[in-house]
Amino acid sequence: MRIATFTHREHVLSGVVEDGSVRPLPDGVGLLDLLVDGRLHEAPDLAGDPIPLDDVRLHAPFQPPTVRDFVAFEEHVEGVRRSVDGGSGVPDAWYDAPAFYFTNPYAVVGPYDDVPVPPGCRAFDFELEVAAVIGREGRDLTPESARDHIAGYLIMNDWSARDLQSREMRVNLGPAKGKDTATTLGPWLVTADELEPYRDGDGFLRLALTASVNGAEVGRDLLSNMGWPFEDLVAYASRGTWVRPGDVLGSGTCGNGGCLAELWGLRGHQDPPPLGPGDVVELTVEGIGAVRNTVVAGAEPLPIPPARGRPRNRP
């Protein structure tokens, strides 16, 4: 089943996507309600005739309470590390556990929304990811039990200001403003059962991933090239804390051109160039669909003074 959120005739609704149309859920019932109430896998109550997808504006499927973003592709780590901080290879610590950071849930945008360049950014980039969505709360989960806590999957684009990210991480903190302006989620949530036919013998989802800029393909990979399956990511996220319905867990960027910074690191220069106003980024994931966003001009940064040196006096 595929659940979307959309505007039709000035009304925001959620509904089930089938055969190029969407069947609305009752007014006031959204995807997050189904997740929180545990009703996602029940036969949904539908409240109207099918509406052609061409007649609606798709939004992000829901507003997540939290967004964790992992870094689960070894090839991405190797390429981007060279581009962002000048390092080489993959840090030994990467292999120990699936690292992640929390990103901004207020910055979620829809599958076809315009995306502004972050203030002060001169090296804007996309990141092709798949995200799992939690459907049942849990704590200290095992990888085996974690699968039952995944409600479904969607495409995620973790937009990145690479120059801001590089500066921030020199103080061993972040990324912060390097990742703060936009995260695309969509085009809808595909329930986990729909993707089970793609699961390989090692437990990974073998989905083809492609990224294009202005119609030219720049990246292609398989989701099954992750270092850990999603069940391991969920289990690690739940260690010592809760995962709850609606939490989003991104895979991290795929390799082989899943973002521009990886290619910059491999090639030693910014080829292709950073994204700018007018560029169109399209990400496609087998079994899920596609998202397509246009980059637009953003706001200029408002000045903030540098830190003062610490006072030398003591009480």
Side-chain angles (χ1 to χ4, degrees):
M1 186 165 56
R2 301 180 176 204
I3 309 291
T5 296
F6 59 95
T7 294
H8 180 247
R9 296 178 179 173
E10 301 183 355
H11 293 285
V12 178
L13 302 165
S14 292
V16 177
V17 177
E18 295 177 339
D19 301 324
S21 298
V22 57
R23 288 282 305 276
L25 296 170
D27 199 16
V29 176
L31 174 54
L32 190 57
D33 299 310
L34 299 182
L35 292 169
V36 171
D37 295 343
R39 291 183 287 150
L40 186 64
H41 296 293
E42 300 175 4
D45 294 325
L46 300 175
D49 296 327
I51 304 169
L53 286 173
D54 289 343
D55 293 344
V56 307
R57 176 180 175 82
L58 290 175
H59 303 295
F62 64 100
Q63 181 64 48
T66 68
V67 183
R68 295 172 177 86
D69 198 12
F70 285 80
V71 55
F73 287 85
E74 186 178 18
E75 187 175 8
H76 168 76
V77 175
E78 186 173 31
V80 170
R81 187 182 184 200
R82 187 179 295 115
S83 174
V84 171
D85 65 16
S88 62
V90 178
D92 291 342
W94 181 84
Y95 299 95
D96 294 339
F100 69 91
Y101 69 94
F102 281 96
T103 191
N104 185 359
Y106 301 129
V108 167
V109 299
Y112 303 108
D113 291 346
D114 291 343
V115 173
V117 176
C121 174
R122 299 293 180 267
F124 198 32
D125 197 1
F126 68 89
E127 294 199 1
L128 169 53
E129 308 188 24
V130 172
V133 178
I134 298 298
R136 183 158 64 91
E137 74 174 17
R139 182 186 179 98
D140 291 311
L141 301 172
T142 65
E144 293 75 21
S145 65
R147 183 173 297 183
D148 292 335
H149 293 259
I150 298 174
Y153 300 88
L154 37 69
I155 300 172
M156 177 170 166
N157 187 344
D158 174 38
W159 299 87
S160 301
R162 297 300 186 190
D163 46 351
L164 306 185
Q165 177 186 1
S166 178
R167 177 183 58 78
E168 289 170 335
M169 298 187 76
R170 290 174 194 160
V171 297
N172 295 320
L173 192 65
K177 286 299 176 185
K179 301 278 191 173
D180 206 32
T181 293
T183 300
T184 300
L185 297 179
W188 34 64
L189 181 135
V190 178
T191 53
D193 60 297
E194 294 279 330
L195 297 183
E196 277 303 305
Y198 296 94
R199 194 174 296 278
D200 67 16
D202 294 321
F204 292 83
L205 295 174
R206 187 180 172 88
L207 306 180
L209 316 173
T210 59
S212 67
V213 178
N214 300 327
E217 184 177 300
V218 297
R220 177 176 290 268
D221 201 1
L222 289 170
L223 188 63
S224 51
N225 285 332
M226 293 168 66
W228 298 267
F230 278 103
E231 290 77 8
D232 290 6
L233 306 188
V234 173
Y236 188 69
S238 75
R239 184 180 291 180
T241 189
W242 292 93
V243 291
R244 289 198 162 100
D247 288 352
V248 168
L249 284 70
S251 63
T253 310
C254 67
N256 195 38
C259 67
L260 299 179
E262 178 201 331
L263 301 177
W264 300 341
L266 293 173
R267 297 171 182 174
H269 59 286
Q270 290 185 334
D271 175 30
L275 301 172
D279 286 333
V280 178
V281 176
E282 184 165 8
L283 309 180
T284 303
V285 176
E286 183 181 11
I288 298 180
V291 298
R292 185 178 62 254
N293 300 100
T294 300
V295 178
V296 297
E300 289 298 315
L302 299 176
I304 295 175
R308 66 169 187 167
R310 67 178 182 268
R312 300 297 176 178
N313 56 331
R314 294 286 186 268

PDB file of all heavy atoms in Angstrom, residues 231-262:
ATOM      1  N   GLU A 231      17.137  -3.021   9.556  1.00  0.00           N
ATOM      2  CA  GLU A 231      16.832  -3.585  10.869  1.00  0.00           C
ATOM      3  C   GLU A 231      17.960  -3.291  11.865  1.00  0.00           C
ATOM      4  O   GLU A 231      17.710  -3.011  13.042  1.00  0.00           O
ATOM      5  CB  GLU A 231      16.603  -5.089  10.759  1.00  0.00           C
ATOM      6  CG  GLU A 231      15.322  -5.478  10.045  1.00  0.00           C
ATOM      7  CD  GLU A 231      15.400  -5.353   8.525  1.00  0.00           C
ATOM      8  OE1 GLU A 231      16.511  -5.106   7.990  1.00  0.00           O
ATOM      9  OE2 GLU A 231      14.361  -5.510   7.865  1.00  0.00           O
ATOM     10  N   ASP A 232      19.198  -3.340  11.396  1.00  0.00           N
ATOM     11  CA  ASP A 232      20.328  -3.006  12.268  1.00  0.00           C
ATOM     12  C   ASP A 232      20.319  -1.528  12.638  1.00  0.00           C
ATOM     13  O   ASP A 232      20.647  -1.156  13.775  1.00  0.00           O
ATOM     14  CB  ASP A 232      21.647  -3.345  11.576  1.00  0.00           C
ATOM     15  CG  ASP A 232      21.884  -4.842  11.430  1.00  0.00           C
ATOM     16  OD1 ASP A 232      20.969  -5.632  11.772  1.00  0.00           O
ATOM     17  OD2 ASP A 232      22.972  -5.222  10.964  1.00  0.00           O
ATOM     18  N   LEU A 233      19.946  -0.675  11.683  1.00  0.00           N
ATOM     19  CA  LEU A 233      19.883   0.765  11.970  1.00  0.00           C
ATOM     20  C   LEU A 233      18.827   1.052  13.032  1.00  0.00           C
ATOM     21  O   LEU A 233      19.051   1.838  13.960  1.00  0.00           O
ATOM     22  CB  LEU A 233      19.568   1.553  10.699  1.00  0.00           C
ATOM     23  CG  LEU A 233      20.464   1.344   9.475  1.00  0.00           C
ATOM     24  CD1 LEU A 233      20.115   2.350   8.387  1.00  0.00           C
ATOM     25  CD2 LEU A 233      21.939   1.420   9.828  1.00  0.00           C
ATOM     26  N   VAL A 234      17.677   0.429  12.895  1.00  0.00           N
ATOM     27  CA  VAL A 234      16.603   0.634  13.869  1.00  0.00           C
ATOM     28  C   VAL A 234      17.023   0.126  15.243  1.00  0.00           C
ATOM     29  O   VAL A 234      16.806   0.786  16.268  1.00  0.00           O
ATOM     30  CB  VAL A 234      15.305  -0.060  13.410  1.00  0.00           C
ATOM     31  CG1 VAL A 234      14.234   0.006  14.496  1.00  0.00           C
ATOM     32  CG2 VAL A 234      14.781   0.581  12.119  1.00  0.00           C
ATOM     33  N   ALA A 235      17.635  -1.044  15.280  1.00  0.00           N
ATOM     34  CA  ALA A 235      18.075  -1.600  16.559  1.00  0.00           C
ATOM     35  C   ALA A 235      19.084  -0.676  17.233  1.00  0.00           C
ATOM     36  O   ALA A 235      19.005  -0.428  18.448  1.00  0.00           O
ATOM     37  CB  ALA A 235      18.675  -2.991  16.345  1.00  0.00           C
ATOM     38  N   TYR A 236      20.029  -0.151  16.472  1.00  0.00           N
ATOM     39  CA  TYR A 236      21.029   0.741  17.051  1.00  0.00           C
ATOM     40  C   TYR A 236      20.385   2.043  17.528  1.00  0.00           C
ATOM     41  O   TYR A 236      20.705   2.549  18.608  1.00  0.00           O
ATOM     42  CB  TYR A 236      22.127   1.031  16.033  1.00  0.00           C
ATOM     43  CG  TYR A 236      23.289   1.790  16.609  1.00  0.00           C
ATOM     44  CD1 TYR A 236      24.140   1.198  17.533  1.00  0.00           C
ATOM     45  CD2 TYR A 236      23.539   3.103  16.231  1.00  0.00           C
ATOM     46  CE1 TYR A 236      25.219   1.891  18.069  1.00  0.00           C
ATOM     47  CE2 TYR A 236      24.612   3.808  16.756  1.00  0.00           C
ATOM     48  CZ  TYR A 236      25.445   3.190  17.678  1.00  0.00           C
ATOM     49  OH  TYR A 236      26.502   3.887  18.207  1.00  0.00           O
ATOM     50  N   ALA A 237      19.469   2.581  16.729  1.00  0.00           N
ATOM     51  CA  ALA A 237      18.783   3.819  17.130  1.00  0.00           C
ATOM     52  C   ALA A 237      18.013   3.628  18.425  1.00  0.00           C
ATOM     53  O   ALA A 237      17.873   4.567  19.223  1.00  0.00           O
ATOM     54  CB  ALA A 237      17.843   4.280  16.023  1.00  0.00           C
ATOM     55  N   SER A 238      17.519   2.420  18.676  1.00  0.00           N
ATOM     56  CA  SER A 238      16.701   2.158  19.863  1.00  0.00           C
ATOM     57  C   SER A 238      17.531   1.828  21.095  1.00  0.00           C
ATOM     58  O   SER A 238      16.967   1.646  22.180  1.00  0.00           O
ATOM     59  CB  SER A 238      15.737   1.002  19.594  1.00  0.00           C
ATOM     60  OG  SER A 238      16.406  -0.249  19.607  1.00  0.00           O
ATOM     61  N   ARG A 239      18.845   1.751  20.937  1.00  0.00           N
ATOM     62  CA  ARG A 239      19.691   1.341  22.060  1.00  0.00           C
ATOM     63  C   ARG A 239      19.652   2.405  23.155  1.00  0.00           C
ATOM     64  O   ARG A 239      20.074   3.541  22.966  1.00  0.00           O
ATOM     65  CB  ARG A 239      21.125   1.122  21.585  1.00  0.00           C
ATOM     66  CG  ARG A 239      22.061   0.600  22.664  1.00  0.00           C
ATOM     67  CD  ARG A 239      23.468   0.398  22.138  1.00  0.00           C
ATOM     68  NE  ARG A 239      23.546  -0.711  21.178  1.00  0.00           N
ATOM     69  CZ  ARG A 239      24.673  -1.073  20.574  1.00  0.00           C
ATOM     70  NH1 ARG A 239      25.795  -0.400  20.805  1.00  0.00           N
ATOM     71  NH2 ARG A 239      24.664  -2.092  19.730  1.00  0.00           N
ATOM     72  N   GLY A 240      19.113   2.036  24.310  1.00  0.00           N
ATOM     73  CA  GLY A 240      19.059   2.944  25.443  1.00  0.00           C
ATOM     74  C   GLY A 240      18.024   4.038  25.339  1.00  0.00           C
ATOM     75  O   GLY A 240      17.990   4.948  26.175  1.00  0.00           O
ATOM     76  N   THR A 241      17.132   3.969  24.333  1.00  0.00           N
ATOM     77  CA  THR A 241      16.116   5.008  24.157  1.00  0.00           C
ATOM     78  C   THR A 241      14.963   4.431  23.341  1.00  0.00           C
ATOM     79  O   THR A 241      14.926   3.243  23.034  1.00  0.00           O
ATOM     80  CB  THR A 241      16.718   6.249  23.475  1.00  0.00           C
ATOM     81  OG1 THR A 241      15.762   7.311  23.499  1.00  0.00           O
ATOM     82  CG2 THR A 241      17.113   5.965  22.037  1.00  0.00           C
ATOM     83  N   TRP A 242      14.006   5.290  23.016  1.00  0.00           N
ATOM     84  CA  TRP A 242      12.820   4.860  22.289  1.00  0.00           C
ATOM     85  C   TRP A 242      12.884   5.278  20.824  1.00  0.00           C
ATOM     86  O   TRP A 242      13.383   6.346  20.495  1.00  0.00           O
ATOM     87  CB  TRP A 242      11.560   5.471  22.900  1.00  0.00           C
ATOM     88  CG  TRP A 242      11.240   4.950  24.259  1.00  0.00           C
ATOM     89  CD1 TRP A 242      11.605   5.480  25.459  1.00  0.00           C
ATOM     90  CD2 TRP A 242      10.492   3.771  24.558  1.00  0.00           C
ATOM     91  NE1 TRP A 242      11.139   4.715  26.496  1.00  0.00           N
ATOM     92  CE2 TRP A 242      10.449   3.659  25.971  1.00  0.00           C
ATOM     93  CE3 TRP A 242       9.860   2.798  23.789  1.00  0.00           C
ATOM     94  CZ2 TRP A 242       9.795   2.613  26.617  1.00  0.00           C
ATOM     95  CZ3 TRP A 242       9.203   1.760  24.431  1.00  0.00           C
ATOM     96  CH2 TRP A 242       9.172   1.677  25.827  1.00  0.00           C
ATOM     97  N   VAL A 243      12.386   4.410  19.960  1.00  0.00           N
ATOM     98  CA  VAL A 243      11.931   4.826  18.637  1.00  0.00           C
ATOM     99  C   VAL A 243      10.416   4.757  18.664  1.00  0.00           C
ATOM    100  O   VAL A 243       9.836   3.840  19.262  1.00  0.00           O
ATOM    101  CB  VAL A 243      12.516   3.953  17.509  1.00  0.00           C
ATOM    102  CG1 VAL A 243      14.006   4.191  17.370  1.00  0.00           C
ATOM    103  CG2 VAL A 243      12.217   2.465  17.723  1.00  0.00           C
ATOM    104  N   ARG A 244       9.774   5.741  18.045  1.00  0.00           N
ATOM    105  CA  ARG A 244       8.314   5.829  18.136  1.00  0.00           C
ATOM    106  C   ARG A 244       7.702   6.064  16.753  1.00  0.00           C
ATOM    107  O   ARG A 244       8.389   6.491  15.811  1.00  0.00           O
ATOM    108  CB  ARG A 244       7.922   6.956  19.097  1.00  0.00           C
ATOM    109  CG  ARG A 244       8.231   6.620  20.562  1.00  0.00           C
ATOM    110  CD  ARG A 244       7.461   7.502  21.526  1.00  0.00           C
ATOM    111  NE  ARG A 244       7.428   6.929  22.862  1.00  0.00           N
ATOM    112  CZ  ARG A 244       8.219   7.300  23.872  1.00  0.00           C
ATOM    113  NH1 ARG A 244       9.103   8.267  23.688  1.00  0.00           N
ATOM    114  NH2 ARG A 244       8.114   6.720  25.055  1.00  0.00           N
ATOM    115  N   PRO A 245       6.393   5.797  16.615  1.00  0.00           N
ATOM    116  CA  PRO A 245       5.748   5.920  15.314  1.00  0.00           C
ATOM    117  C   PRO A 245       5.978   7.289  14.676  1.00  0.00           C
ATOM    118  O   PRO A 245       5.826   8.325  15.322  1.00  0.00           O
ATOM    119  CB  PRO A 245       4.267   5.697  15.633  1.00  0.00           C
ATOM    120  CG  PRO A 245       4.283   4.785  16.818  1.00  0.00           C
ATOM    121  CD  PRO A 245       5.463   5.255  17.632  1.00  0.00           C
ATOM    122  N   GLY A 246       6.358   7.258  13.415  1.00  0.00           N
ATOM    123  CA  GLY A 246       6.638   8.480  12.665  1.00  0.00           C
ATOM    124  C   GLY A 246       8.096   8.855  12.618  1.00  0.00           C
ATOM    125  O   GLY A 246       8.482   9.704  11.801  1.00  0.00           O
ATOM    126  N   ASP A 247       8.944   8.260  13.470  1.00  0.00           N
ATOM    127  CA  ASP A 247      10.377   8.532  13.388  1.00  0.00           C
ATOM    128  C   ASP A 247      10.900   8.097  12.023  1.00  0.00           C
ATOM    129  O   ASP A 247      10.558   7.010  11.523  1.00  0.00           O
ATOM    130  CB  ASP A 247      11.142   7.776  14.472  1.00  0.00           C
ATOM    131  CG  ASP A 247      10.922   8.336  15.866  1.00  0.00           C
ATOM    132  OD1 ASP A 247      10.295   9.410  15.985  1.00  0.00           O
ATOM    133  OD2 ASP A 247      11.388   7.701  16.835  1.00  0.00           O
ATOM    134  N   VAL A 248      11.750   8.936  11.438  1.00  0.00           N
ATOM    135  CA  VAL A 248      12.337   8.665  10.130  1.00  0.00           C
ATOM    136  C   VAL A 248      13.816   8.349  10.306  1.00  0.00           C
ATOM    137  O   VAL A 248      14.542   9.084  10.984  1.00  0.00           O
ATOM    138  CB  VAL A 248      12.149   9.871   9.191  1.00  0.00           C
ATOM    139  CG1 VAL A 248      13.004   9.740   7.932  1.00  0.00           C
ATOM    140  CG2 VAL A 248      10.676  10.026   8.819  1.00  0.00           C
ATOM    141  N   LEU A 249      14.270   7.247   9.677  1.00  0.00           N
ATOM    142  CA  LEU A 249      15.670   6.832   9.748  1.00  0.00           C
ATOM    143  C   LEU A 249      16.209   6.717   8.329  1.00  0.00           C
ATOM    144  O   LEU A 249      15.867   5.773   7.598  1.00  0.00           O
ATOM    145  CB  LEU A 249      15.821   5.492  10.477  1.00  0.00           C
ATOM    146  CG  LEU A 249      15.702   5.484  11.998  1.00  0.00           C
ATOM    147  CD1 LEU A 249      14.274   5.745  12.463  1.00  0.00           C
ATOM    148  CD2 LEU A 249      16.186   4.152  12.554  1.00  0.00           C
ATOM    149  N   GLY A 250      17.053   7.683   7.943  1.00  0.00           N
ATOM    150  CA  GLY A 250      17.624   7.678   6.607  1.00  0.00           C
ATOM    151  C   GLY A 250      18.791   6.717   6.495  1.00  0.00           C
ATOM    152  O   GLY A 250      19.561   6.527   7.442  1.00  0.00           O
ATOM    153  N   SER A 251      18.946   6.143   5.323  1.00  0.00           N
ATOM    154  CA  SER A 251      20.023   5.186   5.062  1.00  0.00           C
ATOM    155  C   SER A 251      21.385   5.851   5.002  1.00  0.00           C
ATOM    156  O   SER A 251      22.416   5.186   5.156  1.00  0.00           O
ATOM    157  CB  SER A 251      19.779   4.475   3.733  1.00  0.00           C
ATOM    158  OG  SER A 251      19.815   5.406   2.651  1.00  0.00           O
ATOM    159  N   GLY A 252      21.402   7.149   4.777  1.00  0.00           N
ATOM    160  CA  GLY A 252      22.637   7.790   4.350  1.00  0.00           C
ATOM    161  C   GLY A 252      22.741   7.698   2.840  1.00  0.00           C
ATOM    162  O   GLY A 252      22.044   6.916   2.172  1.00  0.00           O
ATOM    163  N   THR A 253      23.624   8.485   2.283  1.00  0.00           N
ATOM    164  CA  THR A 253      23.731   8.622   0.834  1.00  0.00           C
ATOM    165  C   THR A 253      24.366   7.399   0.203  1.00  0.00           C
ATOM    166  O   THR A 253      25.362   6.872   0.701  1.00  0.00           O
ATOM    167  CB  THR A 253      24.570   9.857   0.503  1.00  0.00           C
ATOM    168  OG1 THR A 253      24.056  10.957   1.238  1.00  0.00           O
ATOM    169  CG2 THR A 253      24.519  10.178  -0.973  1.00  0.00           C
ATOM    170  N   CYS A 254      23.786   6.959  -0.905  1.00  0.00           N
ATOM    171  CA  CYS A 254      24.344   5.828  -1.628  1.00  0.00           C
ATOM    172  C   CYS A 254      25.652   6.232  -2.305  1.00  0.00           C
ATOM    173  O   CYS A 254      26.025   7.407  -2.356  1.00  0.00           O
ATOM    174  CB  CYS A 254      23.342   5.302  -2.648  1.00  0.00           C
ATOM    175  SG  CYS A 254      22.996   6.428  -4.020  1.00  0.00           S
ATOM    176  N   GLY A 255      26.362   5.239  -2.820  1.00  0.00           N
ATOM    177  CA  GLY A 255      27.616   5.499  -3.506  1.00  0.00           C
ATOM    178  C   GLY A 255      27.438   5.687  -4.998  1.00  0.00           C
ATOM    179  O   GLY A 255      26.327   5.791  -5.508  1.00  0.00           O
ATOM    180  N   ASN A 256      28.566   5.748  -5.692  1.00  0.00           N
ATOM    181  CA  ASN A 256      28.593   5.841  -7.159  1.00  0.00           C
ATOM    182  C   ASN A 256      27.793   7.023  -7.682  1.00  0.00           C
ATOM    183  O   ASN A 256      26.986   6.907  -8.595  1.00  0.00           O
ATOM    184  CB  ASN A 256      28.087   4.539  -7.795  1.00  0.00           C
ATOM    185  CG  ASN A 256      28.432   4.443  -9.273  1.00  0.00           C
ATOM    186  OD1 ASN A 256      29.506   4.851  -9.687  1.00  0.00           O
ATOM    187  ND2 ASN A 256      27.526   3.896 -10.065  1.00  0.00           N
ATOM    188  N   GLY A 257      28.021   8.207  -7.057  1.00  0.00           N
ATOM    189  CA  GLY A 257      27.350   9.418  -7.513  1.00  0.00           C
ATOM    190  C   GLY A 257      26.043   9.693  -6.824  1.00  0.00           C
ATOM    191  O   GLY A 257      25.184  10.384  -7.378  1.00  0.00           O
ATOM    192  N   GLY A 258      25.891   9.196  -5.593  1.00  0.00           N
ATOM    193  CA  GLY A 258      24.691   9.510  -4.829  1.00  0.00           C
ATOM    194  C   GLY A 258      24.633  10.939  -4.366  1.00  0.00           C
ATOM    195  O   GLY A 258      23.595  11.405  -3.877  1.00  0.00           O
ATOM    196  N   CYS A 259      25.736  11.655  -4.485  1.00  0.00           N
ATOM    197  CA  CYS A 259      25.782  13.097  -4.238  1.00  0.00           C
ATOM    198  C   CYS A 259      26.948  13.656  -5.042  1.00  0.00           C
ATOM    199  O   CYS A 259      27.827  12.918  -5.501  1.00  0.00           O
ATOM    200  CB  CYS A 259      25.947  13.407  -2.747  1.00  0.00           C
ATOM    201  SG  CYS A 259      27.543  12.906  -2.069  1.00  0.00           S
ATOM    202  N   LEU A 260      26.975  14.977  -5.185  1.00  0.00           N
ATOM    203  CA  LEU A 260      28.046  15.608  -5.945  1.00  0.00           C
ATOM    204  C   LEU A 260      29.371  15.571  -5.190  1.00  0.00           C
ATOM    205  O   LEU A 260      30.432  15.415  -5.792  1.00  0.00           O
ATOM    206  CB  LEU A 260      27.673  17.056  -6.271  1.00  0.00           C
ATOM    207  CG  LEU A 260      26.419  17.254  -7.123  1.00  0.00           C
ATOM    208  CD1 LEU A 260      26.149  18.734  -7.338  1.00  0.00           C
ATOM    209  CD2 LEU A 260      26.538  16.541  -8.463  1.00  0.00           C
ATOM    210  N   ALA A 261      29.326  15.734  -3.852  1.00  0.00           N
ATOM    211  CA  ALA A 261      30.565  15.806  -3.083  1.00  0.00           C
ATOM    212  C   ALA A 261      31.402  14.536  -3.228  1.00  0.00           C
ATOM    213  O   ALA A 261      32.633  14.600  -3.231  1.00  0.00           O
ATOM    214  CB  ALA A 261      30.257  16.071  -1.612  1.00  0.00           C
ATOM    215  N   GLU A 262      30.755  13.386  -3.352  1.00  0.00           N
ATOM    216  CA  GLU A 262      31.507  12.155  -3.571  1.00  0.00           C
ATOM    217  C   GLU A 262      32.300  12.240  -4.869  1.00  0.00           C
ATOM    218  O   GLU A 262      33.482  11.878  -4.925  1.00  0.00           O
ATOM    219  CB  GLU A 262      30.559  10.968  -3.610  1.00  0.00           C
ATOM    220  CG  GLU A 262      31.260   9.642  -3.883  1.00  0.00           C
ATOM    221  CD  GLU A 262      30.323   8.580  -4.407  1.00  0.00           C
ATOM    222  OE1 GLU A 262      29.120   8.616  -4.081  1.00  0.00           O
ATOM    223  OE2 GLU A 262      30.804   7.704  -5.157  1.00  0.00           O
TER     224      GLU A 262
END
